[in-house]
Amino acid sequence: MLPATLSDSALSERHIRILDAAERVFARAGFHAATMQDVAAEAGMSPGNLYRYFNSKDAIIAGMSERDRSLIAEDFGSLCPANGSLLDQLEELGRKHLVRQPREKAVIALQIWAEAARNPEMARMCADIEGTVIEGLATAIGEAKRNGELPPRLDEHRFLLAISMMADGFFCRRAMDPTFDEAVAADTLFAGMRQLAQSMLLPDPDPKP
């Protein structure tokens, strides 16, 4: 059984090697075509040794998803007003996960989303990651509203929904298009995030006559 939180600091070197190898194999071949033997070969170990750490492809996928969720939670936990603008920190975090990660990450995310449409366990894993992201964003946005960085009437629900859909679209385009310009797209995404943060407001409860 793996630990409940799977950041790299909580994993053994062997677990990290297997998960990294599985990501490369799944990105190349897809979940269904890839085999445990393929993952073992990519990780430089025997299939028998691989089964000591993960007993199935589903267990590997669960490990990959939980590792990503834990890393995202750690990153959001490090956000702090004392470190400067929270929007700047959110943009840096977004660039880390959307742009600086290998394209294979986006390819795998797209595969997981497709599987989630018919596999309840995959859907649960997606919901766990999405919940971690939304919780972290909501906490940061709430703090930014309190310290005056964001408008107090910002419609948090619509804002979170909008930037979540924008990020999902970014991932999909990056996964499907090998010529996708991540740098230009990221500049567009984060400029849009900042504009929405100032304009997506709740109605004024006390409009002037």
Side-chain angles (χ1 to χ4, degrees):
M1 181 66 67
L2 288 168
T5 57
L6 289 181
S7 64
D8 280 354
S9 61
L11 291 171
S12 71
E13 181 276 335
R14 192 61 59 89
H15 281 108
I16 293 170
R17 189 202 307 180
I18 292 169
L19 293 177
D20 289 345
E23 287 184 348
R24 295 191 295 271
V25 170
F26 292 155
R28 288 198 306 264
F31 293 148
H32 295 295
T35 66
M36 291 289 278
Q37 288 75 17
D38 294 331
V39 175
E42 184 76 19
M45 64 178 61
S46 69
N49 201 17
L50 173 62
Y51 278 100
R52 292 176 55 200
Y53 295 90
F54 296 95
N55 60 17
S56 68
K57 285 195 296 183
D58 285 350
I60 292 176
I61 295 166
M64 289 163 45
S65 297
E66 177 55 24
R67 177 170 70 163
D68 286 346
R69 191 203 65 76
S70 295
L71 290 171
I72 291 168
E74 284 183 7
D75 283 346
F76 276 115
S78 70
L79 296 176
C80 176
N83 294 331
S85 162
L86 282 166
L87 281 184
D88 288 347
Q89 293 179 62
L90 285 176
E91 178 171 340
E92 173 59 23
L93 194 158
R95 288 182 182 275
K96 172 182 176 180
H97 289 279
L98 294 176
V99 180
R100 292 197 287 273
Q101 291 286 352
R103 177 173 171 262
E104 285 78 12
K105 283 283 198 182
V107 173
I108 292 170
L110 198 58
Q111 292 183 52
I112 289 176
W113 293 339
E115 287 293 308
R118 55 182 176 270
N119 183 324
E121 183 59 23
M122 287 279 196
R124 183 195 64 76
M125 287 189 284
C126 288
D128 285 347
I129 292 176
E130 179 75 5
T132 297
V133 171
I134 294 299
E135 181 181 358
L137 283 171
T139 300
I141 290 166
E143 179 61 32
K145 288 172 69 174
R146 285 189 291 274
N147 69 22
E149 184 180 344
L150 289 177
R153 290 195 294 114
L154 175 65
D155 188 333
E156 292 183 40
H157 175 74
R158 290 173 60 223
F159 178 66
L160 288 170
L161 180 61
I163 60 176
S164 175
M165 291 189 296
M166 290 162 65
D168 289 349
F170 185 104
F171 249 56
C172 288
R173 288 290 298 276
R174 190 177 185 205
M176 294 185 295
D177 182 3
T179 66
F180 183 61
D181 191 328
E182 297 98 339
V184 171
D187 288 345
T188 303
L189 188 154
F190 293 114
M193 177 190 77
R194 291 175 184 277
Q195 291 175 0
L196 289 175
Q198 299 299 326
S199 62
M200 192 169 275
L201 307 180
L202 293 165
D204 189 341
D206 186 24
K208 295 180 181 180

